[in-house]
Amino acid sequence: MKKYKSKNRLNPSEYIDGILKGDRVLLSRAITIIESNLESDKILAKEIVQAILPSSGNSIRIGITGVPGVGKSTFIEVFGKHLIQQGHRVAILSIDPSSQRSKGSILGDKTRMEELANLEEAYIRPSASGDTLGGVSNKTGETVLLCEAAGYDVILIETVGVGQSETAVHGMTDFFLLLMLAGAGDELQGIKKGIMEMADMVVINKADGENVRMSQMAKRQYQNALHIFPQSESGWSPVVSTASAIKNIGIDKVWNEIKKYKKLVLENGYFIKNRNHQQIQWMYNNINEELKQLFYGSTNIKSHLQTLEKDIIEAKISPVKAAEKIIGEFKNSFEKNSK
Amino acid sequence: MKKYKSKNRLNPSEYIDGILKGDRVLLSRAITIIESNLESDKILAKEIVQAILPSSGNSIRIGITGVPGVGKSTFIEVFGKHLIQQGHRVAILSIDPSSQRSKGSILGDKTRMEELANLEEAYIRPSASGDTLGGVSNKTGETVLLCEAAGYDVILIETVGVGQSETAVHGMTDFFLLLMLAGAGDELQGIKKGIMEMADMVVINKADGENVRMSQMAKRQYQNALHIFPQSESGWSPVVSTASAIKNIGIDKVWNEIKKYKKLVLENGYFIKNRNHQQIQWMYNNINEELKQLFYGSTNIKSHLQTLEKDIIEAKISPVKAAEKIIGEFKNSFEKNSK
């Protein structure tokens, strides 16, 4: 086991025991290992995840998204404190694909959720997304498992709603919450296509003071908009409500709806069905990413693709034939390499 | 060249010359070759497509979708005749993934668009989708190229709006038309999620007699619904209108909007940009399908995947590790086979 000792790493069992006891320091250090790209860390990470796997899963996983300015941090701070008052332990993972400066983010996050960060029952961590969507699923997905094994029973995964990570987060959560603002004109401007369809609940934040009337109007507008989508397999009809995180209005309503949702999907079997589906889908996503990596990772292939793109635009070759040609090259190179 | 002569096939040049002269019989026979799964036909198809490629592209490609009962056949018949009156030559390809009985479909289609089918300027053909989405793109996509080379300058590609082929069709057309009906309750019930977002125009059909008032209401409802989606890259704002194909009301309006669209996107450069993007994407879709086929086509892999799915649900292995394991097996088997 000495091989793990590089870079001040502990034995796997120390991380595992620490996580299972709810030790925040060891949890954080284990997450760092999950996020690391060092080969030795990858081996260590796999051993830790494998060991805590049977202790994971006992939580409700909630995706929270909304564009910058919607008041996400304040919402999560107030919402998190409300959950802790109800006896829960809350882990908050935030994904910001636009920022790879993870140390900066940690500081930023702790500052912007100051009160929550000081509570023993809250664990706040920005989640490194890596360079790919696969990165979001794997690193954040495994971080969720670790947090659950450490005893956090509500997992909030926060994204900014303008990137590509929302689909990945939707694919790893039980409930998807969209924060919006009331405003004139095109209400959904800025939010990526398709996010509205994923929402189990839309909360119009900052519904206080002079904003109340406009928020009520926005609420009706969203209710109508959500109505045009076919019913979800979960049997749940998306809810729209108004809230003011800063005035602590409507926060309990959000949690009540999530509890109603959980009750419904536990009873109708969708909760387990969806979780199983997500886990298996996670494997397939990884397989498909790896397959692409095998192909597109080759420098030979890359330069040939450029030529083929040019030839296609100039109508020198059909797309079907171009694909066939390069797949043939790939098979050949694979066979040559393996000899 | 004798090798092509099996199954009563002609020389490639006979098909190619025939298509370029607008010979409908040779066009039909060439499309049959494109749809064939015989190895010798695949080679022949590639040669034909390659040769007509420089003569393809000179058309507007229009996707038309709507659930059964919306009056698609009548709409296309009336719309097609209108286009022919304006001096166009119209090819109509219909994709029905639920029916693989292509001979039955041919008969059905000819019957349901009887007047149009008798016009020299119209060419109607059900398009075999094959078993996969890739099948839709390749076979229908190459059929489009052949029709264009044969002088058809408006290509209508019809789908039923409840399957998975709409995204594929959207990916090979310039303009996407959604036919709907006015009705009480949830207007979009039955239409697949995401189709609304792809529409450049929504036509409420059967807007005649007692239906006119309800159709006007539905029009406003769709206008509001479309409003919530962010503006498309084309710079075009989707249009909603009412029509009655059976009474020939509002059909000219549809064509006028398509002409407006074409003018806009030719001027702003989106038309060419989108066409180039679609062609290149077509190659990448094929590459990715082939890669998956290499992997999932292996019987060994298939049985291992079943075991891994079970182990994942029982929390015996993490999805990440499961993927890694089976990709390792794949690489090994590839190397062994190639020796």
Side-chain angles (χ1 to χ4, degrees), chain A residues 45-320:
Chain A
K46 251 159 236 156
E47 190 159 347
I48 296 170
V49 171
Q50 188 66 26
I52 59 89
L53 209 48
S55 311
S56 69
N58 191 21
S59 76
I60 179 132
R61 302 168 182 166
I62 303 168
I64 301 187
T65 195
V67 293
V70 78
K72 247 183 350 281
S73 306
T74 310
F75 179 86
I76 291 174
E77 166 132 290
V78 177
F79 186 55
K81 285 195 292 184
H82 177 75
L83 295 176
I84 288 168
Q85 280 160 16
Q86 312 282 312
H88 296 285
R89 288 165 58 82
V90 186
I92 295 126
L93 312 173
S94 27
I95 297 170
D96 180 359
S98 65
S99 151
Q100 300 297 332
R101 296 159 299 135
S102 82
K103 274 180 189 160
S105 293
I106 291 175
L107 207 64
D109 271 4
K110 291 234 164 151
T111 315
R112 65 192 179 90
M113 297 177 200
E114 215 169 337
E115 287 184 52
L116 196 60
N118 288 327
L119 296 176
E120 180 59 35
E121 298 85 356
Y123 178 77
I124 303 179
R125 170 105 187 187
S127 193
S129 67
D131 299 324
T132 61
L133 265 185
V136 173
S137 313
N138 283 345
K139 292 176 177 179
T140 308
E142 295 189 324
T143 300
V144 168
L145 301 177
L146 260 54
C147 291
E148 289 170 345
Y152 295 95
D153 66 337
V154 181
I155 314 288
L156 306 181
I157 309 179
E158 175 201 7
T159 64
V160 288
V162 291
Q164 295 202 288
S165 41
E166 286 68 34
T167 311
V169 171
H170 182 249
M172 62 171 76
T173 49
D174 307 307
F175 190 91
F176 203 78
L177 188 64
L178 174 61
L179 296 186
M180 299 292 289
L181 289 180
D186 190 346
E187 302 284 351
L188 276 178
Q189 210 61 47
I191 272 283
K192 246 196 101 222
K193 279 190 182 190
I195 289 189
M196 188 85 177
E197 287 188 39
M198 302 194 301
D200 295 301
M201 182 166 188
V202 176
V203 175
I204 323 277
N205 194 24
K206 302 190 182 176
D208 47 41
E210 290 179 0
N211 255 327
V212 170
R213 209 180 59 89
M214 216 145 78
S215 301
Q216 289 296 338
M217 274 174 57
K219 179 181 163 179
R220 279 189 298 276
Q221 194 182 347
Y222 288 123
Q223 275 167 337
N224 290 336
L226 284 169
H227 186 59
I228 70 168
F229 298 122
Q231 178 150 41
S232 154
E233 202 197 331
S234 65
W236 173 258
S237 300
V239 175
V240 184
S241 77
T242 58
S244 166
I246 211 158
K247 307 255 178 192
N248 202 344
I249 300 169
I251 301 298
D252 48 345
K253 158 93 172 158
V254 177
W255 181 234
N256 284 338
E257 290 295 335
I258 293 173
K259 282 196 290 188
K260 266 194 233 167
Y261 174 85
K262 193 174 179 184
K263 186 168 180 292
L264 173 79
V265 293
L266 279 174
E267 280 171 8
N268 69 18
Y270 180 78
F271 186 85
I272 296 299
K273 192 181 161 192
N274 184 45
R275 281 267 179 111
N276 287 344
H277 172 77
Q278 287 181 341
Q279 295 289 103
I280 286 168
Q281 199 51 48
W282 186 0
M283 172 182 75
Y284 283 110
N285 291 345
N286 270 6
I287 289 173
N288 296 337
E289 278 304 312
E290 287 274 355
L291 285 176
K292 284 188 189 173
Q293 190 48 40
L294 271 179
F295 181 83
Y296 294 106
S298 148
T299 40
N300 234 341
I301 294 288
K302 270 181 204 157
S303 70
H304 282 201
L305 280 171
Q306 285 182 338
T307 317
L308 287 173
E309 285 193 12
K310 203 170 148 282
D311 289 348
I312 286 173
I313 290 178
E314 293 170 2
K316 286 184 187 163
I317 191 168
S318 87
V320 177

Side-chain angles (χ1 to χ4, degrees), chain A residues 46 50 309 316 324, chain B residues 46 50 284 309 316 324:
Chain A
K46 251 159 236 156
Q50 188 66 26
E309 285 193 12
K316 286 184 187 163
E324 196 186 63
Chain B
K46 251 159 235 155
Q50 188 67 28
Y284 283 109
E309 285 193 12
K316 286 183 188 163
E324 196 187 65

Side-chain angles (χ1 to χ4, degrees), chain B residues 183-194:
Chain B
D186 190 346
E187 301 283 351
L188 275 179
Q189 210 62 46
I191 272 282
K192 247 196 101 221
K193 279 190 182 188

Side-chain angles (χ1 to χ4, degrees), chain B residues 264-282:
Chain B
L264 173 79
V265 293
L266 279 176
E267 280 171 8
N268 69 18
Y270 179 78
F271 186 85
I272 297 299
K273 192 181 162 193
N274 184 45
R275 280 268 178 110
N276 287 344
H277 172 76
Q278 287 181 342
Q279 295 288 102
I280 286 168
Q281 200 51 50
W282 186 1

